[in-house]
Amino acid sequence: MILTVTLNTALDVTYRVPRLRPHTSHRVTEAAERPGGKGLNVARVLAALGHEVTATGFAGGPAGALVRELLAAGSPGVVDALVPCAGSTRRTVAVADGTSGDTTQFNEPGPLISSAEWAAFLDRYEALAAGARAVALCGSLPPGVPVGAYAALVRTARTAGVPVLLDTSGEALRRGIAARPEMIKPNAAELAELTGSRDPLPATRDARRRGAQAVIASLGADGLLAATPQGTWRAAPPRALTGNPTGAGDSAVAGLLSALAEGLDWPGRLARAVALSAATVHAPGAGEFDPRTYEEIRGSVKVLAGQEA
């Protein structure tokens, strides 16, 4: 079983409009609701790949109840181990512009988590991590959760001998990396914020020195750059893809975790992550990927070895 953690789950609401213009009313042509938050997106992709996956984190209020309902109805293979909380799960609202293809997003902060709720989650997490093959710690921290939460969760998994991939940002990443996770997957902006360098190659090496055993940086359309104990690798799709990139990074995390669980080497892990990320651009939303694009691309991802990391 692969365990995904989404402390700040969300109800993702997407509106599509012919054209988004400020200061006007809009007629919505399509509306959709999905379970959201990075870890839930990762869980849904893992399940679609055929892996046993359990999703934990917090869910509360009407939005949280709907997240759980949608997860049960539309995500076969994902085991719901979410912990109840008194506050209401946040909503994220995305407005997709049909003319430009751009998406404008509004993210709520999330519910206030009490110390008792956090303690209940830690008990649930420790029990689940003990039976996991790998753990993904994903996304932002809701109010009330300690800023060093991910560091504590990394240490718990490491004590159980379970590899951890950490995908977060800001101070939560800075604290979490010091606990020595097996992998982190920042995007270029998050990596620059962590290290102070906008050059991805030295930045990935700097991040490794801060504690991560491997650093896999998302570089958008340019693919992935990985600094690992076995060396440095660059992986890119064979061609540029147009579409909605929302959730592409989460699919990359799912690719890395599934390949780790299957014992693939680094070129194999990166090729799968890039192919899944590209296939998500052609999917309706985060947590999904287009199977035809995935099959088309995964055998032709360019993976180049660099200098030793």
Side-chain angles (χ1 to χ4, degrees), residues 211-268:
Q213 294 184 33
V215 179
I216 303 93
S218 296
L219 304 179
D222 293 329
L224 300 174
L225 170 64
T228 79
Q230 285 73 45
T232 301
W233 311 85
R234 291 182 182 268
R239 56 184 174 82
L241 296 173
T242 58
N244 182 2
T246 303
D250 302 333
S251 291
V253 169
L256 292 167
L257 277 177
S258 62
L260 171 66
E262 295 169 26
L264 299 188
D265 59 12
W266 275 107

Side-chain angles (χ1 to χ4, degrees), residues 185 218 244-254 273-274 276-278 280-281 286-288:
K185 195 214 66 63
S218 296
N244 182 2
T246 303
D250 302 333
S251 291
V253 169
V274 167
L276 280 171
S277 182
T280 297
V281 173
E288 304 173 33

Side-chain angles (χ1 to χ4, degrees), residues 14-31 94-99:
T14 302
Y15 295 132
R16 299 190 182 279
V17 298
R19 183 177 181 182
L20 180 62
R21 292 180 294 181
H23 316 300
T24 64
S25 297
H26 295 78
R27 190 172 299 278
V28 175
T29 58
E30 181 184 345
V95 182
D97 186 321
T99 301

